[in-house]
Structures are given as C-alpha cells and as structure tokens.
Amino acid sequence: MDQRDQQTPAPSRRDFIKTSAAVVGGTMASSLVIPGAYAAGTDEIKVGLIGCGGRGTGACVQALSTKQNVQLVAMADAFRDRLDGSYQNILEALEDKKTRVQVKEENKFTGFDAYKKAIALADVVILATPPGFRPIHFEEAVNQGKHIFMEKPVATDPAGIQRVLAAAEKAKAKKLNVVVGLQRRYQASYRELIKRVHDGAIGEILSAQAWWNNDGVWVHPRQAGWTEMEYQMRNWYYFVWLCGDHITEQHIHNLDVINWALEAYPVKAQGMGGREVRKGKDYGQIYDHHYVEFHYGNGTILNSQCRHQKGTMSKVDELLIGTKGKVYCDAARITDNKGNTIYQFDKKMENQPYQNEHDELFAAIAKGEYKFWDAERGARSTMTSILGRMATYSGQNIEWDKAINSGINIMPTTYAFDAMPPVVPDADGNYPVPEPGVTKFF
Ligand SMILES: NC(=O)c1ccc[n+]([C@@H]2O[C@H](COP(=O)([O-])OP(=O)(O)OC[C@H]3O[C@@H](n4cnc5c(N)ncnc54)[C@H](O)[C@@H]3O)[C@@H](O)[C@H]2O)c1
C-alpha cells in the first residue's frame, strides 16, 4: 500500500471521522484552551502554503475542505511555475469552494526568502517543501507565533533535528498546535491497533519488522539554463541535504509506527545498503536500498528494509511480534501466537487520514484548543531514519546519543541560485555516493 498523496483532491468527509477523533492512541493529550482569535468559531482562519508541490497542494485542499472557515491567503515556493501550477490545481480541486482561495497577486512569493512573507500573512502554515528546509521554516513559523501543519520528514541531518526540537519547545510554550504529516497517527485502523498494543494485546514486544519496498519516484533531468542549485532543488529527491535519502523521506512512516507502538526510540543501529540498480547521474547520490537493524533500550529489535528498485516485490507494512501475539498493520489484524485472529479492524470504518489530520487540527484551532504537539516525536522519528542512514552509509554501529548530538550539518552555507550546493558533481557529472567502510561520521 503506497500512501503517497500526490495532488489528490480532498475526499469527502465521513461522519465517523468525528467519532474516531476521540480515539487517539497516543496522538493527542488533554486539551488546553489557548487564547486566540478563533475561540468564537466565527472568524476566518488564514492559511499560508509554503512549498507548492504535490503534497503542499493536496494538504492545502484538505485544509480548505474542513468544516471551519478557512481561507488560503498566501503562497510561497522557490519557483513561480510550481506556485502557479499549485494555484490552478487548488482551484480545480475545490470546485464549489473556490471562494476559499483569496491569494492576491502580491501575496504569491517566490525564492528562498518567500516563506517568511507568506508565514507573516497566515494564522496557520502548511510546510511542504523538501525536508532539508523544514527546520528553517518551522523555526520561523514558531517565532512568528503560527499554528503549523508540517510534512514529514522534519529535517535531513542531526543539526536540523536539534533545531526542530528547540523550536518544538518554544511552540509548546506558546501553545501553538503542530501536526506532523505522519498520517498513520491520524488513521483509524492504526489508532485502534496501537491502542490495543498499549493495552497489552500482544504482551511484551520482542521484535518488529518494517518495509517500504517499491519502484521509487520521479526524476527531473537537468535542463539547459539551470544553475547547479536549481537543478538539485528541482531534482531534490536524489540529494541527501534536501531529501535525506528514501529511508528518511518515505520509510520514516513505517519507522514511526514502530516507535509509536514501543513508545520509545532506538538506542543504536547497524545495517547495510547501496545503489545496485538505480545508478547514474540523474539519481544524484542516494542509495536504492537500506536494511537496518535498530536496537531499542528494552532489547526489542526492529528489522527494517526499504528499497527503490523497479520490478521487485512491493510491500509497505509493519509487523509487531510480541510474547502473546502479532500485529499485522496493513491487514489491520492482531493474532495470538497460534495464528488465531483476536482483533480485526473493520476496513469499512477506515478514515481518510490525510483529511483527518486537517479536520482535527482546524477543529482544535477554531475552538481555541491546544491539542497537538507532534513536532518532538516527528523529529525523533526523523532522527530514527537518519540514524539508519548513518549506519548504512558507514557500515558501522551508530549510537543514537552520539548521532543526535553530533552537530552534523549537511545544509548549504548560502541559499541562492548562484551559490554552490553542499555536494557538487565531478568532471563527468557524477555525484559522490557514500561508501560503507570508507564513509565515516565519527
Ligand atoms: N505524508 C505523506 O504521505 C507525503 C506524501 C508526499 C510527500 N510528502 C512530503 O511532502 C514534502 C514535499 O513533497 P512533494 O512530493 O510535494 O514534493 P514536490 O517536489 O512536489 O514539492 C515541493 C515543492 O517545494 C518547493 N520548494 C523547494 N524548496 C523550497 C524553498 N526553499 N522554499 C519554498 N519552496 C520550496 C518546490 O519548488 C516544490 O514546488 C516532502 O517532505 C515529502 O516527504 C509527504
């Protein structure tokens, strides 16, 4: 099951979302009333979209499809063509709700600083650029006192994780609602499964498995006239500073489910990976497979695999193995150790988690409630994926504490289209690819 959501129009709301919102499985804590302009539930809630690509467009449509009086007032993207495409797609997807799009021409911003201007005009911001920029944008949104929906991953390096953790503390102090787009946390079936795990349905969790194996994603080949910075920004998936590699960009979903079930993060990891099939200049520097063994403090071991190789078996799923039974997440089933089903989620009761993220967030904001502080756990699950990547790139055993406190910063020093990105091609146009046994972090 591939849950990527590229430019999908918002599906219609379903009645049971209201009831499932009360079943939170570790997602929400008790509500605190926040002071604010929306307590009366009548004022409009202004949204700013930062990163007008496939997901940003989809998330924006979902925000504008909630029951609240939400209006899109500002858009920001590195590139004008992306912003214009998104604007059109939002209008088309909304059909009968076009009046919710109120973006004046002067409130469409482009370039590296565009985010600051769009954030300033909004009450709630959607952060959906490539993840390398997330710490900068999240920090700014918190400093400007805005509620936030931000896509996963929330960083690509340990320095970015620390920046998000620090801003997350500030967001808490300011009672800013923050939802992170790890949508399984907002999915009815996952909430039911994990609630039962926490209630002891499978006993103590001994081990787990997680998969994100499929064909991979788009490629944007270099075009004449692009600077190196523009090329990397447009073909961002294949550059670690922008994307984090696919273990971070996609597999984070599965790693987060295991962290959620265990209510913990790994203490160390070791693994292997490389580029076996997806080679060549267009694929930058990332791997096409990673296999990682994550160790948790209580002794639980997670075996995780992610692969982008065309023509191979597809599987996106998680499995939890406990002393009393197993949880098959995609099948939404719990069995005892003899294989008898002891719980089966009724898939007819599934919600649309991408929509639910926004339904719950905007309902809380409209009521003046402080209900969501996802940033810290989003950062720690992102760090889990970075830990795995450091293990596969180096071929070494990597400890969480050392990695998260390493200060490793892979982002550019200057953000400009004529500036050099942190990684550049050699004379033949090939990018440096990490080599286990040679690549070192410590
Ligand atoms: N939760 C999910 O299932 C899910 C699904 C898809 C994507 N995502 C996440 O959403 C994010 C975006 O992915 P996408 O598929 O929409 O990519 P995309 O390439 O379609 O969109 C990214 C947009 O950000 C813009 N951008 C890049 N740098 C920018 C900057 N510094 N300032 C402003 N705009 C900038 C790009 O020009 C582009 O329009 C990623 O973090 C991805 O992991 C999440």
Side-chain angles (χ1 to χ4, degrees):
M1 180 180 62
D2 186 339
Q3 298 210 8
R4 285 183 71 83
D5 176 39
Q6 304 289 356
Q7 298 185 338
T8 39
S12 59
R13 187 191 314 273
R14 296 191 196 169
D15 289 344
F16 59 78
I17 287 174
K18 266 199 284 183
T19 46
S20 69
V23 184
V24 292
T27 296
M28 294 187 286
S30 59
S31 307
L32 300 164
V33 174
I34 49 168
Y38 326 106
T42 50
D43 300 339
E44 71 199 23
I45 305 176
K46 297 193 185 83
V47 169
L49 170 61
I50 323 300
C52 309
R55 184 79 270 274
T57 302
C60 188
V61 169
Q62 281 139 3
L64 298 177
S65 302
T66 59
K67 282 185 181 149
Q68 283 67 40
N69 181 11
V70 183
Q71 281 193 355
L72 177 65
V73 297
M75 297 173 79
D77 198 280
F79 304 110
R80 183 68 202 212
D81 59 298
R82 299 304 307 265
L83 189 153
D84 288 342
S86 172
Y87 183 77
Q88 280 312 321
N89 286 335
I90 292 168
L91 283 177
E92 280 163 29
L94 285 171
E95 290 171 355
D96 55 331
K97 290 193 184 128
K98 282 194 176 124
T99 52
R100 292 196 162 197
V101 182
Q102 298 290 339
V103 191
K104 292 184 190 138
E105 190 53 33
E106 65 264 31
N107 296 337
K108 295 176 179 173
F109 305 103
T110 54
F112 284 100
D113 282 338
Y115 69 101
K116 287 186 190 164
K117 299 170 198 158
I119 290 170
L121 294 171
D123 303 310
V124 184
V125 294
I126 295 172
L127 306 181
T129 64
F133 294 107
R134 200 90 69 244
I136 303 169
H137 295 176
F138 178 59
E139 187 180 73
E140 178 69 19
V142 172
N143 286 344
Q144 289 198 33
K146 312 301 172 149
H147 299 284
I148 297 159
F149 171 82
M150 67 171 160
E151 264 307 338
K152 46 41 73 172
V154 303
T156 55
D157 60 16
I161 296 289
Q162 295 290 4
R163 206 164 167 176
V164 172
L165 288 173
E169 281 305 305
K170 264 196 188 178
K172 262 192 191 173
K174 293 185 173 189
K175 296 191 175 130
L176 303 173
N177 285 290
V178 180
V179 167
V180 171
L182 289 161
Q183 70 274 2
R184 286 162 179 73
R185 301 254 189 175
Y186 292 81
Q187 186 167 344
S189 57
Y190 275 88
R191 285 176 167 183
E192 292 297 331
L193 292 174
I194 303 296
K195 182 160 64 95
R196 283 167 173 76
V197 169
H198 291 165
D199 288 347
I202 61 165
E204 195 189 331
I205 301 172
L206 299 174
S207 69
Q209 287 180 238
W211 302 264
W212 193 299
N213 294 338
N214 64 11
D215 283 0
V217 301
W218 47 260
V219 181
H220 296 306
R222 192 186 294 273
Q223 286 184 22
W226 284 356
T227 61
E228 181 62 29
M229 181 66 92
E230 177 163 1
Y231 168 62
Q232 293 193 18
M233 299 261 297
R234 294 222 184 239
N235 200 27
W236 62 266
Y237 209 94
Y238 301 98
F239 296 94
V240 182
W241 67 276
L242 284 156
C243 161
D245 205 320
H246 64 107
I247 188 172
T248 293
E249 203 276 336
Q250 282 184 321
H251 194 39
I252 182 179
H253 284 296
N254 319 104
L255 301 176
D256 180 60
V257 168
I258 308 299
N259 291 342
W260 179 16
L262 287 167
E263 299 179 287
Y265 301 92
V267 293
K268 61 182 183 181
Q270 74 86 23
M272 58 186 78
R275 271 156 85 97
E276 197 57 37
V277 176
R278 195 172 54 181
K279 303 174 181 189
K281 297 171 191 174
D282 283 347
Y283 302 108
Q285 49 174 176
I286 71 169
Y287 281 4
D288 63 9
H289 64 285
H290 302 256
Y291 195 106
V292 185
E293 192 183 279
F294 290 97
H295 294 253
Y296 290 76
N298 66 352
T300 304
I301 295 173
L302 159 63
N303 288 297
S304 112
Q305 48 180 291
C306 56
R307 177 175 60 199
H308 276 183
Q309 293 175 353
K310 284 194 171 50
T312 59
M313 180 200 82
S314 280
K315 186 175 175 78
V316 178
D317 200 359
E318 306 86 19
L319 170 68
L320 295 159
I321 302 168
T323 48
K324 286 165 47 182
K326 293 181 184 160
V327 180
Y328 299 85
C329 290
D330 190 39
R333 184 168 66 243
I334 303 179
T335 68
D336 65 17
N337 274 334
K338 293 189 177 130
N340 302 311
T341 298
I342 54 174
Y343 173 73
Q344 174 66 61
F345 177 81
D346 179 357
K347 289 242 173 175
K348 288 199 293 299
M349 295 303 290
E350 191 63 285
N351 61 2
Q352 218 295 348
Y354 292 99
Q355 183 59 52
N356 194 33
E357 289 170 331
H358 294 273
D359 288 344
E360 293 190 5
L361 172 63
F362 282 90
I365 292 169
K367 284 189 209 141
E369 290 175 349
Y370 177 47
K371 271 185 148 176
F372 301 100
W373 41 83
D374 294 1
E376 183 187 337
R377 68 170 191 230
R380 293 191 186 280
S381 281
T382 302
M383 187 62 219
T384 305
S385 69
I386 294 171
L387 183 75
R389 185 185 80 209
M390 291 171 75
T392 60
Y393 282 4
S394 65
Q396 305 297 332
N397 190 46
I398 306 286
E399 289 171 12
W400 173 282
D401 285 346
K402 219 169 159 185
I404 197 170
N405 295 314
S406 64
I408 292 172
N409 177 346
I410 60 173
M411 294 299 287
T413 46
T414 308
Y415 295 99
F417 287 112
D418 57 359
M420 269 302 155
V423 59
V424 289
D426 65 16
D428 297 324
N430 294 308
Y431 292 88
V433 174
E435 259 185 77
V438 175
T439 298
K440 289 201 173 6
F441 296 105
F442 306 109

